Amino acid sequence: MAGNWKMYKTPAETHAFFETFKPLVGHASQCDIVICPPFPDLHAAVLETRGSAIGIGAQNLYWGKEGAVTGEVSGHMLQAAGCTYVIVAHSERRQYFGETEADVLRKTLAALEWNLTPIVCVGERLEERESGATESVLAQQFDGGLAPLTPEQFARLVIAYEPVWAIGTGKTATPQMAADAHRFIRQRVAAKFGDAQAAATRILYGGSVKPDNVKALMAQDEIDGALVGGASLDPKSFAAIVNYTV
Ligand code: 13P
């Protein structure tokens, strides 16, 4: 269960979040827990979660190690700061910052190079779903961003399926719709990397996941976890998602 805080919270608010959140998930063992705060909060988040089972991730990275690239942050820096995960190609990065499949591949490779687990996002926009293009969009994103990886590289990443029309809109994909998309992605993984890898790949669903819909989503065999935006900002609601019961 991964929380993506997007552009919310200061370091002081990060401390306050973990003060409430940690005791609520102290005994959680059914899932891995990851929080992805904005860059300025990473230090506070890493300190707060030291010795706990909570992993910290960034929301983006640049593919070089260091250099004259104003405004960017490298995988090397994230690793040194104590991160173990990084989100790659969130739809907001694709939409507002023009990230392409070539960027996805470069960023995923850079994350792996620095021992960060990439959470690579894919998903269709509303007009693509309505025009029946969902599968071709997912195929294009997989083929361009992930298929060029070696099997060893691919085995180390997590995929997040986030239909763009379900992000921050309160419109969740139905569990069936999410499961269908996950199944399609998994078939793609199987065709390229084999059945065993397809079964082992974690595919998270993201898009308006809340404490009251997480159970129905997680009841789908195809859905291995969630990438949660808005509901991860509140420690009680994200703890309720982490501690969902079937
Ligand atoms: P919401 O949960 O706010 O819809 O955001 C989903 C998301 O984009 C997580 O990365």
Side-chain angles (χ1 to χ4, degrees):
M1 291 294 178
N4 172 12
W5 283 0
K6 308 194 178 183
M7 198 172 71
Y8 290 97
K9 291 195 194 294
T10 62
E13 289 164 341
T14 301
H15 283 294
F17 173 91
F18 283 108
E19 208 160 282
T20 308
F21 182 66
K22 279 188 294 186
L24 296 175
V25 298
H27 301 290
S29 58
Q30 67 176 346
C31 61
D32 293 333
I33 308 169
V34 181
I35 300 273
C36 300
F39 291 130
D41 301 334
L42 289 174
H43 184 62
V46 166
L47 290 183
E48 284 287 347
T49 53
R50 198 165 270 175
S52 80
I54 303 166
I56 299 300
Q59 298 172 15
N60 184 27
L61 81 167
Y62 186 76
W63 48 83
K65 180 186 174 192
E66 57 190 16
V69 196
T70 301
E72 293 295 318
V73 172
S74 71
H76 173 51
M77 292 164 176
L78 296 177
Q79 185 203 44
C83 293
T84 47
Y85 289 82
V86 61
I87 297 172
V88 173
H90 190 277
S91 65
E92 288 148 17
R93 303 287 324 162
R94 294 177 185 265
Q95 193 177 345
Y96 306 138
F97 301 96
E99 291 193 10
T100 63
E101 301 318 327
D103 296 329
V104 178
L105 182 58
R106 280 191 285 248
K107 291 185 178 204
T108 302
L109 287 168
L112 293 170
E113 184 184 345
W114 296 103
N115 275 324
L116 302 164
T117 300
I119 302 174
V120 182
C121 301
V122 297
E124 80 288 359
R125 299 195 307 264
L126 181 60
E127 61 272 24
E128 293 167 336
R129 173 158 289 264
E130 286 178 343
S131 67
T134 297
E135 293 193 348
S136 67
V137 168
L138 294 176
Q140 183 203 325
Q141 291 173 340
F142 177 84
D143 293 354
L146 298 180
L149 297 171
T150 67
E152 293 72 25
Q153 289 165 340
F154 187 84
R156 292 164 53 207
L157 60 78
V158 173
I159 295 175
Y161 168 63
E162 298 205 320
V164 178
W165 49 271
I167 295 176
T169 58
K171 278 191 212 165
T172 328
T174 64
Q176 193 55 50
M177 282 159 96
D180 288 347
H182 284 217
R183 191 172 306 105
F184 177 78
I185 294 165
R186 216 178 286 282
Q187 284 163 358
R188 212 79 193 169
V189 175
K192 173 72 193 176
F193 295 105
D195 289 342
Q197 182 57 61
T201 298
R202 290 179 181 194
I203 307 181
L204 313 182
Y205 168 76
S208 298
V209 176
K210 309 285 177 209
D212 62 5
N213 61 21
V214 66
K215 185 174 160 173
L217 289 161
M218 292 307 296
Q220 297 287 330
D221 279 348
E222 282 291 343
I223 301 180
D224 301 313
L227 181 55
V228 184
S232 73
L233 293 170
D234 174 64
K236 294 197 182 98
S237 87
F238 193 51
I241 289 172
V242 166
N243 294 324
Y244 79 93
T245 47
V246 283

